[in-house]
mmCIF file of all heavy atoms in Angstrom:
data_model
loop_
_atom_site.group_PDB
_atom_site.id
_atom_site.type_symbol
_atom_site.label_atom_id
_atom_site.label_comp_id
_atom_site.label_asym_id
_atom_site.label_seq_id
_atom_site.Cartn_x
_atom_site.Cartn_y
_atom_site.Cartn_z
ATOM 1 N N LEU A 30 0.784 -1.111 -0.037
ATOM 2 C CA LEU A 30 0.038 -0.004 0.000
ATOM 3 C C LEU A 30 0.924 1.243 0.059
ATOM 4 O O LEU A 30 0.641 2.221 -0.787
ATOM 5 C CB LEU A 30 -0.915 0.008 1.184
ATOM 6 C CG LEU A 30 -2.109 -1.049 1.237
ATOM 7 C CD1 LEU A 30 -2.789 -1.043 2.513
ATOM 8 C CD2 LEU A 30 -3.076 -0.745 0.062
ATOM 9 N N VAL A 31 1.903 1.264 0.822
ATOM 10 C CA VAL A 31 2.788 2.423 0.864
ATOM 11 C C VAL A 31 3.510 2.610 -0.440
ATOM 12 O O VAL A 31 3.611 3.673 -0.942
ATOM 13 C CB VAL A 31 3.851 2.263 2.063
ATOM 14 C CG1 VAL A 31 4.823 3.387 1.972
ATOM 15 C CG2 VAL A 31 3.092 2.247 3.382
ATOM 16 N N SER A 32 4.030 1.534 -1.047
ATOM 17 C CA SER A 32 4.785 1.514 -2.340
ATOM 18 C C SER A 32 3.841 2.031 -3.357
ATOM 19 O O SER A 32 4.241 2.951 -4.192
ATOM 20 C CB SER A 32 5.301 0.128 -2.627
ATOM 21 O OG SER A 32 6.255 -0.201 -1.638
ATOM 22 N N ARG A 33 2.575 1.499 -3.454
ATOM 23 C CA ARG A 33 1.712 1.960 -4.557
ATOM 24 C C ARG A 33 1.348 3.350 -4.275
ATOM 25 O O ARG A 33 1.216 4.198 -5.269
ATOM 26 C CB ARG A 33 0.412 1.077 -4.473
ATOM 27 C CG ARG A 33 -0.541 1.284 -5.558
ATOM 28 C CD ARG A 33 -1.786 0.322 -5.504
ATOM 29 N NE ARG A 33 -1.401 -1.069 -5.257
ATOM 30 C CZ ARG A 33 -1.709 -1.660 -4.277
ATOM 31 N NH1 ARG A 33 -2.473 -1.151 -3.264
ATOM 32 N NH2 ARG A 33 -1.423 -3.000 -4.193
ATOM 33 N N GLY A 34 1.057 3.840 -3.096
ATOM 34 C CA GLY A 34 0.747 5.232 -2.782
ATOM 35 C C GLY A 34 1.896 6.110 -3.185
ATOM 36 O O GLY A 34 1.695 7.226 -3.687
ATOM 37 N N LEU A 35 3.137 5.704 -2.869
ATOM 38 C CA LEU A 35 4.340 6.511 -3.170
ATOM 39 C C LEU A 35 4.437 6.661 -4.633
ATOM 40 O O LEU A 35 4.604 7.765 -5.197
ATOM 41 C CB LEU A 35 5.595 5.833 -2.564
ATOM 42 C CG LEU A 35 6.867 6.446 -2.920
ATOM 43 C CD1 LEU A 35 6.981 7.969 -2.355
ATOM 44 C CD2 LEU A 35 8.080 5.604 -2.270
ATOM 45 N N VAL A 36 4.386 5.507 -5.354
ATOM 46 C CA VAL A 36 4.612 5.636 -6.880
ATOM 47 C C VAL A 36 3.500 6.408 -7.519
ATOM 48 O O VAL A 36 3.714 7.210 -8.401
ATOM 49 C CB VAL A 36 4.686 4.175 -7.390
ATOM 50 C CG1 VAL A 36 4.815 4.252 -8.986
ATOM 51 C CG2 VAL A 36 5.922 3.441 -6.891
ATOM 52 N N ASP A 37 2.198 6.131 -7.109
ATOM 53 C CA ASP A 37 1.062 7.000 -7.636
ATOM 54 C C ASP A 37 1.279 8.511 -7.382
ATOM 55 O O ASP A 37 1.022 9.319 -8.195
ATOM 56 C CB ASP A 37 -0.236 6.533 -6.985
ATOM 57 C CG ASP A 37 -0.613 5.114 -7.517
ATOM 58 O OD1 ASP A 37 -0.127 4.668 -8.522
ATOM 59 O OD2 ASP A 37 -1.529 4.518 -6.884
ATOM 60 N N SER A 38 1.834 8.825 -6.161
ATOM 61 C CA SER A 38 2.105 10.226 -5.799
ATOM 62 C C SER A 38 3.154 10.783 -6.793
ATOM 63 O O SER A 38 3.090 11.869 -7.426
ATOM 64 C CB SER A 38 2.481 10.389 -4.406
ATOM 65 O OG SER A 38 2.991 11.633 -4.183
ATOM 66 N N LEU A 39 4.264 10.020 -6.915
ATOM 67 C CA LEU A 39 5.326 10.450 -7.726
ATOM 68 C C LEU A 39 4.995 10.665 -9.176
ATOM 69 O O LEU A 39 5.651 11.465 -9.956
ATOM 70 C CB LEU A 39 6.609 9.487 -7.587
ATOM 71 C CG LEU A 39 7.137 9.348 -6.214
ATOM 72 C CD1 LEU A 39 8.318 8.338 -6.160
ATOM 73 C CD2 LEU A 39 7.631 10.722 -5.736
ATOM 74 N N LYS A 40 4.011 9.925 -9.676
ATOM 75 C CA LYS A 40 3.604 10.028 -11.112
ATOM 76 C C LYS A 40 2.982 11.391 -11.251
ATOM 77 O O LYS A 40 2.980 11.896 -12.363
ATOM 78 C CB LYS A 40 2.622 8.916 -11.397
ATOM 79 C CG LYS A 40 3.171 7.535 -11.533
ATOM 80 C CD LYS A 40 2.112 6.519 -11.617
ATOM 81 C CE LYS A 40 1.347 6.489 -12.860
ATOM 82 N NZ LYS A 40 0.343 5.383 -13.026
ATOM 83 N N ASP A 41 2.346 11.955 -10.194
ATOM 84 C CA ASP A 41 1.776 13.314 -10.343
ATOM 85 C C ASP A 41 2.663 14.366 -9.883
ATOM 86 O O ASP A 41 2.247 15.594 -9.897
ATOM 87 C CB ASP A 41 0.397 13.297 -9.436
ATOM 88 C CG ASP A 41 -0.620 12.286 -10.023
ATOM 89 O OD1 ASP A 41 -0.570 12.094 -11.197
ATOM 90 O OD2 ASP A 41 -1.338 11.730 -9.198
ATOM 91 N N VAL A 42 3.898 14.088 -9.458
ATOM 92 C CA VAL A 42 4.722 15.169 -8.987
ATOM 93 C C VAL A 42 5.440 15.763 -10.160
ATOM 94 O O VAL A 42 6.038 15.005 -11.046
ATOM 95 C CB VAL A 42 5.824 14.610 -7.979
ATOM 96 C CG1 VAL A 42 6.894 15.634 -7.686
ATOM 97 C CG2 VAL A 42 5.102 14.311 -6.633
ATOM 98 N N ARG A 43 5.558 17.023 -10.316
ATOM 99 C CA ARG A 43 6.208 17.653 -11.452
ATOM 100 C C ARG A 43 7.708 17.676 -11.292
ATOM 101 O O ARG A 43 8.414 18.717 -11.403
ATOM 102 C CB ARG A 43 5.653 19.039 -11.621
ATOM 103 C CG ARG A 43 4.270 19.056 -12.225
ATOM 104 C CD ARG A 43 3.661 20.394 -12.480
ATOM 105 N NE ARG A 43 3.397 21.132 -11.340
ATOM 106 C CZ ARG A 43 4.166 22.160 -10.839
ATOM 107 N NH1 ARG A 43 5.144 22.623 -11.532
ATOM 108 N NH2 ARG A 43 3.913 22.806 -9.759
ATOM 109 N N LEU A 44 8.258 16.549 -10.915
ATOM 110 C CA LEU A 44 9.697 16.239 -10.931
ATOM 111 C C LEU A 44 9.883 14.837 -11.359
ATOM 112 O O LEU A 44 8.888 14.023 -11.297
ATOM 113 C CB LEU A 44 10.221 16.369 -9.474
ATOM 114 C CG LEU A 44 10.214 17.791 -8.748
ATOM 115 C CD1 LEU A 44 10.467 17.628 -7.339
ATOM 116 C CD2 LEU A 44 11.198 18.773 -9.470
ATOM 117 N N ASN A 45 11.077 14.460 -11.912
ATOM 118 C CA ASN A 45 11.258 13.172 -12.428
ATOM 119 C C ASN A 45 12.273 12.353 -11.639
ATOM 120 O O ASN A 45 13.304 12.773 -11.310
ATOM 121 C CB ASN A 45 11.740 13.314 -13.856
ATOM 122 C CG ASN A 45 10.674 13.916 -14.768
ATOM 123 O OD1 ASN A 45 9.544 13.608 -14.670
ATOM 124 N ND2 ASN A 45 11.061 14.925 -15.557
ATOM 125 N N ALA A 46 11.902 11.059 -11.352
ATOM 126 C CA ALA A 46 12.811 10.126 -10.743
ATOM 127 C C ALA A 46 13.990 9.909 -11.624
ATOM 128 O O ALA A 46 13.839 9.635 -12.790
ATOM 129 C CB ALA A 46 12.083 8.786 -10.507
ATOM 130 N N GLY A 47 15.217 10.126 -11.123
ATOM 131 C CA GLY A 47 16.432 9.993 -11.866
ATOM 132 C C GLY A 47 17.048 11.377 -11.930
ATOM 133 O O GLY A 47 18.012 11.614 -11.229
ATOM 134 N N PRO A 48 16.558 12.236 -12.848
ATOM 135 C CA PRO A 48 17.206 13.561 -12.932
ATOM 136 C C PRO A 48 17.047 14.376 -11.638
ATOM 137 O O PRO A 48 17.957 15.085 -11.373
ATOM 138 C CB PRO A 48 16.473 14.220 -14.084
ATOM 139 C CG PRO A 48 15.835 13.087 -14.852
ATOM 140 C CD PRO A 48 15.594 12.045 -13.880
ATOM 141 N N ASP A 49 15.936 14.225 -10.991
ATOM 142 C CA ASP A 49 15.589 15.150 -9.872
ATOM 143 C C ASP A 49 15.746 14.539 -8.534
ATOM 144 O O ASP A 49 16.026 15.148 -7.503
ATOM 145 C CB ASP A 49 14.196 15.711 -9.938
ATOM 146 C CG ASP A 49 14.099 16.577 -11.237
ATOM 147 O OD1 ASP A 49 14.936 17.447 -11.520
ATOM 148 O OD2 ASP A 49 13.034 16.414 -11.953
ATOM 149 N N TYR A 50 15.567 13.164 -8.392
ATOM 150 C CA TYR A 50 15.709 12.512 -7.058
ATOM 151 C C TYR A 50 15.783 11.078 -7.319
ATOM 152 O O TYR A 50 15.559 10.546 -8.417
ATOM 153 C CB TYR A 50 14.418 12.717 -6.215
ATOM 154 C CG TYR A 50 13.133 12.219 -6.858
ATOM 155 C CD1 TYR A 50 12.675 10.970 -6.621
ATOM 156 C CD2 TYR A 50 12.344 13.084 -7.672
ATOM 157 C CE1 TYR A 50 11.558 10.514 -7.231
ATOM 158 C CE2 TYR A 50 11.181 12.632 -8.304
ATOM 159 C CZ TYR A 50 10.775 11.331 -8.051
ATOM 160 O OH TYR A 50 9.618 10.881 -8.650
ATOM 161 N N ASP A 51 16.280 10.340 -6.248
ATOM 162 C CA ASP A 51 16.354 8.850 -6.261
ATOM 163 C C ASP A 51 15.344 8.270 -5.240
ATOM 164 O O ASP A 51 15.048 8.967 -4.268
ATOM 165 C CB ASP A 51 17.796 8.414 -6.066
ATOM 166 C CG ASP A 51 18.713 8.458 -7.288
ATOM 167 O OD1 ASP A 51 18.161 8.572 -8.348
ATOM 168 O OD2 ASP A 51 19.948 8.538 -7.089
ATOM 169 N N VAL A 52 15.070 7.037 -5.387
ATOM 170 C CA VAL A 52 14.310 6.264 -4.444
ATOM 171 C C VAL A 52 15.078 4.990 -3.995
ATOM 172 O O VAL A 52 15.554 4.263 -4.758
ATOM 173 C CB VAL A 52 12.978 5.828 -5.045
ATOM 174 C CG1 VAL A 52 12.180 5.082 -3.979
ATOM 175 C CG2 VAL A 52 12.178 6.968 -5.652
ATOM 176 N N VAL A 53 15.211 4.955 -2.577
ATOM 177 C CA VAL A 53 15.888 3.779 -1.966
ATOM 178 C C VAL A 53 14.920 3.042 -1.162
ATOM 179 O O VAL A 53 14.273 3.615 -0.248
ATOM 180 C CB VAL A 53 17.106 4.223 -1.122
ATOM 181 C CG1 VAL A 53 17.716 2.970 -0.412
ATOM 182 C CG2 VAL A 53 18.163 4.902 -2.079
ATOM 183 N N PHE A 54 14.723 1.804 -1.414
ATOM 184 C CA PHE A 54 13.845 0.894 -0.645
ATOM 185 C C PHE A 54 14.729 -0.128 0.118
ATOM 186 O O PHE A 54 15.283 -1.016 -0.470
ATOM 187 C CB PHE A 54 12.839 0.189 -1.509
ATOM 188 C CG PHE A 54 11.678 -0.629 -0.749
ATOM 189 C CD1 PHE A 54 10.464 -0.699 -1.330
ATOM 190 C CD2 PHE A 54 11.904 -1.135 0.406
ATOM 191 C CE1 PHE A 54 9.410 -1.377 -0.696
ATOM 192 C CE2 PHE A 54 10.860 -1.841 1.112
ATOM 193 C CZ PHE A 54 9.678 -1.952 0.552
#
């Protein structure tokens, strides 16, 4: 649930995973 909520949120954030931030699980 947390992972799905996180990814769904990041899809709507006007920043991009990779160029702007990283994710560590």
Side-chain angles (χ1 to χ4, degrees):
L30 290 173
V31 175
S32 298
R33 189 180 307 118
L35 175 62
V36 176
D37 287 344
S38 170
L39 294 178
K40 290 170 66 175
D41 294 330
V42 171
R43 289 180 292 108
L44 295 170
N45 296 313
D49 297 317
Y50 61 88
D51 280 341
V52 182
V53 174
F54 188 149

